[in-house]
Amino acid sequence: MNRSEGRIIDLPKIIDPRGNLTVAEQLKNIPFEVKRVYWVYDVPSGECRGGHAHKQCREFIVAVNGSFTVTLNDGREQETFLLNHPYQGLLVETGIWRTLDDFSSGAVCLVLASELFEEEDYIREYDEYIEYLGCLK
């Protein structure tokens, strides 16, 4: 898998005895304009989230609490990332299938997205995803 299709980005971590602080700024450490923010939490043990790809939307995924794994698949290869630091995030480019698994108790997954929600942007069936990749060639 091409490293530009999924890569960990370290965010600034400001250490303070009163509590640490991390900042994410669009077009600075987040390489796109943020148009939507959402978070996933209270995921039951053994459940999977994601299971789709986006045609236009780029995402930056952060484990703001706890941990989970993100598996990225480009139709040829897959790579799994463990997210467990609130000062790091995973940049996911367009056209990449993603699944989120292995949520720890209390995990919170924060997603910064480059686009507003549009159902037409989602590819929700893996067979359709592979067909979509073939059309891009």
Side-chain angles (χ1 to χ4, degrees):
M1 176 168 288
N2 183 331
R3 294 297 293 163
S4 66
E5 294 171 340
R7 65 184 164 100
I8 297 289
I9 295 176
D10 289 322
L11 298 170
K13 179 180 179 183
I14 300 145
I15 298 173
D16 187 302
R18 300 168 298 162
N20 298 336
L21 174 76
T22 293
V23 176
E25 295 178 299
Q26 67 181 5
L27 304 174
K28 187 172 180 183
N29 18 53
I30 309 302
F32 53 79
E33 182 181 335
V34 177
K35 293 186 180 174
R36 179 169 52 118
V37 177
Y38 63 92
W39 48 99
V40 178
Y41 55 96
D42 292 341
V43 178
S45 179
E47 287 298 318
C48 174
R49 296 292 310 210
H52 63 266
H54 289 283
K55 298 173 188 173
Q56 300 296 321
C57 188
R58 300 168 75 193
E59 293 184 331
F60 188 74
I61 303 172
V62 179
V64 293
N65 193 60
S67 66
F68 51 88
T69 59
V70 181
T71 301
L72 302 182
N73 181 322
D74 66 2
R76 298 177 312 278
E77 301 176 67
Q78 70 178 29
E79 187 171 1
T80 299
F81 299 84
L82 172 64
L83 297 183
N84 61 352
H85 298 296
Y87 54 85
Q88 290 181 328
L90 177 64
L91 176 64
V92 182
E93 295 294 345
T94 60
I96 302 296
W97 189 266
R98 84 282 320 271
T99 57
L100 289 75
D101 296 289
D102 304 320
F103 285 82
S104 69
S105 177
V108 178
C109 169
L110 175 72
V111 180
L112 308 177
S114 68
E115 305 299 324
L116 299 175
F117 176 82
E118 289 188 31
E119 184 60 39
E120 300 77 34
D121 184 54
Y122 284 75
I123 305 169
R124 296 190 184 271
E125 298 296 329
Y126 191 75
D127 291 344
E128 291 176 25
Y129 170 67
I130 296 300
E131 185 177 317
Y132 172 78
L133 291 176
C135 293
L136 295 178
K137 293 180 182 177

